[in-house]
Amino acid sequence: MKPSIKAGIAVGMATGAWIFGEYALGLHDDPSGGAGRWTGLLSLIFPIIGAWWVVRTALLSSWSEATREGLIFGATGGLVGGAAIYLYFRAVNPGFRPDGDSLDAGAQALFGFIGALILGTVLVAILYGLSKRRRNTNG
């Protein structure tokens, strides 16, 4: 299995587990955000670690390879994470209403997928560029 697929699955599962963990800890009890709004930002560490792992293990040799692997990484993570988001808003916490507005679980899952696709691609490209620069300065 490609490193980008493995990493995407792991990141999607970790992000989903983070969401469910926040809920279990009561961090989603305050619809106006509360602590859950800020702890969710901490979950950005998962895609950063996943993208780093892709760059380290995929043996990328060009920007086009980095972009392709970033898209695969982001899409895989987005599918798994999007499924977790859908399950969360549809079955686990369907009454969650931030700012009094109702949420569509499908729209939230799609937004999560698109965000993961973009973030995964950008992170892999950035980390590839940094690793390429480092290799060039080290000889």
Side-chain angles (χ1 to χ4, degrees):
M1 185 181 300
K2 293 174 78 72
S4 51
I5 294 174
K6 286 181 181 179
I9 292 170
V11 167
M13 291 175 64
T15 304
W18 186 270
I19 293 167
F20 294 122
E22 287 178 318
Y23 175 75
L25 292 171
L27 297 174
H28 291 180
D29 292 345
D30 180 5
S32 65
R37 180 168 291 186
W38 301 109
T39 59
L41 292 175
L42 295 174
S43 68
L44 288 174
I45 192 70
F46 302 129
I48 293 169
I49 291 170
W52 172 81
W53 191 79
V54 168
V55 170
R56 297 271 304 168
T57 59
L59 304 174
L60 305 173
S61 61
S62 69
W63 285 101
S64 62
E65 286 182 5
T67 301
R68 182 189 66 233
E69 294 303 315
L71 285 167
I72 293 169
F73 166 64
T76 306
L79 285 173
V80 175
I85 291 168
Y86 184 81
L87 178 65
Y88 176 78
F89 284 112
R90 188 69 168 181
V92 176
N93 195 5
F96 187 71
R97 305 275 188 266
D99 304 322
D101 297 331
S102 64
L103 289 176
D104 177 2
Q108 292 298 311
L110 180 61
F111 180 72
F113 172 79
I114 292 169
L117 183 65
I118 293 168
L119 182 63
T121 305
V122 169
L123 285 174
V124 170
I126 288 170
L127 292 171
Y128 171 71
L130 291 173
S131 73
K132 185 176 176 180
R133 181 174 174 228
R134 195 173 91 168
R135 281 190 302 245
N136 289 341
T137 59
N138 288 338

Short mmCIF file of all heavy atoms in Angstrom, two decimals, residues 20 82-97 103-106 108-109:
data_model
loop_
_atom_site.label_atom_id
_atom_site.label_comp_id
_atom_site.label_asym_id
_atom_site.label_seq_id
_atom_site.Cartn_x
_atom_site.Cartn_y
_atom_site.Cartn_z
N PHE A 20 -14.55 12.37 18.39
CA PHE A 20 -15.34 11.57 19.33
C PHE A 20 -14.82 11.72 20.75
O PHE A 20 -15.60 11.74 21.71
CB PHE A 20 -15.38 10.10 18.92
CG PHE A 20 -16.12 9.87 17.63
CD1 PHE A 20 -15.49 9.28 16.55
CD2 PHE A 20 -17.43 10.28 17.47
CE1 PHE A 20 -16.15 9.08 15.35
CE2 PHE A 20 -18.12 10.08 16.28
CZ PHE A 20 -17.47 9.48 15.22
N GLY A 82 -14.08 12.40 6.65
CA GLY A 82 -15.43 12.81 6.27
C GLY A 82 -16.48 11.82 6.74
O GLY A 82 -17.57 12.21 7.18
N ALA A 83 -16.16 10.53 6.67
CA ALA A 83 -17.08 9.51 7.17
C ALA A 83 -17.28 9.66 8.67
O ALA A 83 -18.40 9.54 9.19
CB ALA A 83 -16.57 8.11 6.83
N ALA A 84 -16.19 9.96 9.39
CA ALA A 84 -16.29 10.17 10.84
C ALA A 84 -17.13 11.41 11.16
O ALA A 84 -17.96 11.39 12.07
CB ALA A 84 -14.89 10.30 11.45
N ILE A 85 -16.93 12.47 10.38
CA ILE A 85 -17.71 13.69 10.57
C ILE A 85 -19.20 13.41 10.33
O ILE A 85 -20.06 13.84 11.10
CB ILE A 85 -17.20 14.81 9.64
CG1 ILE A 85 -15.82 15.28 10.10
CG2 ILE A 85 -18.18 15.99 9.60
CD1 ILE A 85 -15.12 16.18 9.09
N TYR A 86 -19.49 12.69 9.26
CA TYR A 86 -20.88 12.37 8.94
C TYR A 86 -21.51 11.55 10.07
O TYR A 86 -22.62 11.86 10.52
CB TYR A 86 -20.95 11.59 7.62
CG TYR A 86 -22.38 11.31 7.19
CD1 TYR A 86 -23.11 12.29 6.54
CD2 TYR A 86 -22.99 10.10 7.46
CE1 TYR A 86 -24.43 12.07 6.16
CE2 TYR A 86 -24.29 9.86 7.09
CZ TYR A 86 -25.00 10.84 6.44
OH TYR A 86 -26.31 10.61 6.08
N LEU A 87 -20.80 10.53 10.53
CA LEU A 87 -21.30 9.70 11.62
C LEU A 87 -21.52 10.54 12.88
O LEU A 87 -22.54 10.40 13.56
CB LEU A 87 -20.31 8.57 11.92
CG LEU A 87 -20.67 7.63 13.06
CD1 LEU A 87 -21.94 6.85 12.75
CD2 LEU A 87 -19.52 6.67 13.34
N TYR A 88 -20.59 11.44 13.15
CA TYR A 88 -20.71 12.27 14.34
C TYR A 88 -21.96 13.14 14.29
O TYR A 88 -22.76 13.14 15.22
CB TYR A 88 -19.46 13.15 14.49
CG TYR A 88 -19.59 14.11 15.65
CD1 TYR A 88 -19.40 13.67 16.96
CD2 TYR A 88 -19.92 15.44 15.45
CE1 TYR A 88 -19.54 14.53 18.03
CE2 TYR A 88 -20.06 16.31 16.52
CZ TYR A 88 -19.86 15.85 17.80
OH TYR A 88 -20.01 16.70 18.86
N PHE A 89 -22.14 13.88 13.19
CA PHE A 89 -23.28 14.81 13.11
C PHE A 89 -24.60 14.11 12.82
O PHE A 89 -25.66 14.67 13.09
CB PHE A 89 -23.02 15.89 12.06
CG PHE A 89 -22.05 16.93 12.52
CD1 PHE A 89 -20.81 17.03 11.93
CD2 PHE A 89 -22.37 17.80 13.54
CE1 PHE A 89 -19.90 18.00 12.35
CE2 PHE A 89 -21.48 18.77 13.97
CZ PHE A 89 -20.23 18.86 13.37
N ARG A 90 -24.57 12.91 12.29
CA ARG A 90 -25.79 12.19 11.95
C ARG A 90 -26.27 11.30 13.10
O ARG A 90 -27.47 11.22 13.36
CB ARG A 90 -25.55 11.35 10.70
CG ARG A 90 -26.75 10.71 10.14
CD ARG A 90 -27.64 11.76 9.56
NE ARG A 90 -28.67 11.10 8.77
CZ ARG A 90 -29.58 11.74 8.13
NH1 ARG A 90 -29.59 13.04 8.15
NH2 ARG A 90 -30.48 11.10 7.46
N ALA A 91 -25.33 10.63 13.79
CA ALA A 91 -25.74 9.63 14.78
C ALA A 91 -25.30 9.95 16.21
O ALA A 91 -26.05 9.72 17.15
CB ALA A 91 -25.19 8.26 14.38
N VAL A 92 -24.10 10.46 16.38
CA VAL A 92 -23.56 10.66 17.73
C VAL A 92 -24.09 11.94 18.37
O VAL A 92 -24.53 11.93 19.51
CB VAL A 92 -22.01 10.66 17.70
CG1 VAL A 92 -21.44 10.97 19.07
CG2 VAL A 92 -21.49 9.33 17.18
N ASN A 93 -24.05 13.03 17.64
CA ASN A 93 -24.46 14.32 18.20
C ASN A 93 -25.31 15.08 17.19
O ASN A 93 -24.96 16.19 16.77
CB ASN A 93 -23.21 15.14 18.59
CG ASN A 93 -23.52 16.30 19.49
OD1 ASN A 93 -24.66 16.50 19.92
ND2 ASN A 93 -22.51 17.10 19.77
N PRO A 94 -26.46 14.52 16.81
CA PRO A 94 -27.28 15.17 15.78
C PRO A 94 -27.92 16.48 16.24
O PRO A 94 -28.32 17.29 15.41
CB PRO A 94 -28.35 14.13 15.46
CG PRO A 94 -28.45 13.30 16.70
CD PRO A 94 -27.06 13.28 17.28
N GLY A 95 -27.98 16.71 17.52
CA GLY A 95 -28.59 17.93 18.04
C GLY A 95 -27.63 19.10 18.13
O GLY A 95 -28.02 20.18 18.56
N PHE A 96 -26.40 18.91 17.74
CA PHE A 96 -25.41 19.98 17.85
C PHE A 96 -25.78 21.13 16.92
O PHE A 96 -25.97 20.95 15.72
CB PHE A 96 -24.02 19.46 17.50
CG PHE A 96 -22.92 20.45 17.75
CD1 PHE A 96 -22.56 20.77 19.04
CD2 PHE A 96 -22.26 21.05 16.70
CE1 PHE A 96 -21.55 21.69 19.28
CE2 PHE A 96 -21.25 21.96 16.93
CZ PHE A 96 -20.89 22.28 18.22
N ARG A 97 -25.92 22.31 17.48
CA ARG A 97 -26.35 23.49 16.72
C ARG A 97 -25.46 24.67 17.07
O ARG A 97 -25.77 25.44 17.99
CB ARG A 97 -27.80 23.85 17.04
CG ARG A 97 -28.80 22.76 16.83
CD ARG A 97 -29.23 22.73 15.37
NE ARG A 97 -30.33 21.82 15.14
CZ ARG A 97 -30.18 20.57 14.75
NH1 ARG A 97 -28.99 20.08 14.57
NH2 ARG A 97 -31.21 19.80 14.53
N LEU A 103 -27.25 21.96 11.37
CA LEU A 103 -26.16 21.47 10.54
C LEU A 103 -26.62 20.33 9.66
O LEU A 103 -27.38 19.48 10.09
CB LEU A 103 -25.00 20.96 11.41
CG LEU A 103 -24.20 22.02 12.15
CD1 LEU A 103 -23.17 21.35 13.05
CD2 LEU A 103 -23.51 22.94 11.18
N ASP A 104 -26.14 20.29 8.45
CA ASP A 104 -26.38 19.19 7.54
C ASP A 104 -25.14 18.30 7.61
O ASP A 104 -24.03 18.73 7.26
CB ASP A 104 -26.59 19.72 6.12
CG ASP A 104 -26.78 18.63 5.09
OD1 ASP A 104 -26.79 17.44 5.46
OD2 ASP A 104 -26.92 18.98 3.91
N ALA A 105 -25.31 17.05 8.06
CA ALA A 105 -24.18 16.14 8.23
C ALA A 105 -23.44 15.92 6.92
O ALA A 105 -22.20 15.88 6.89
CB ALA A 105 -24.67 14.81 8.80
N GLY A 106 -24.16 15.80 5.82
CA GLY A 106 -23.53 15.60 4.52
C GLY A 106 -22.68 16.78 4.10
O GLY A 106 -21.57 16.62 3.58
N GLN A 108 -21.30 18.97 6.11
CA GLN A 108 -20.14 19.02 6.99
C GLN A 108 -19.08 18.01 6.56
O GLN A 108 -17.88 18.30 6.56
CB GLN A 108 -20.56 18.77 8.44
CG GLN A 108 -21.39 19.86 9.04
CD GLN A 108 -20.65 21.18 9.09
OE1 GLN A 108 -19.52 21.26 9.54
NE2 GLN A 108 -21.30 22.23 8.62
N ALA A 109 -19.51 16.80 6.17
CA ALA A 109 -18.58 15.78 5.71
C ALA A 109 -17.90 16.20 4.42
O ALA A 109 -16.70 16.01 4.24
CB ALA A 109 -19.31 14.45 5.53
#
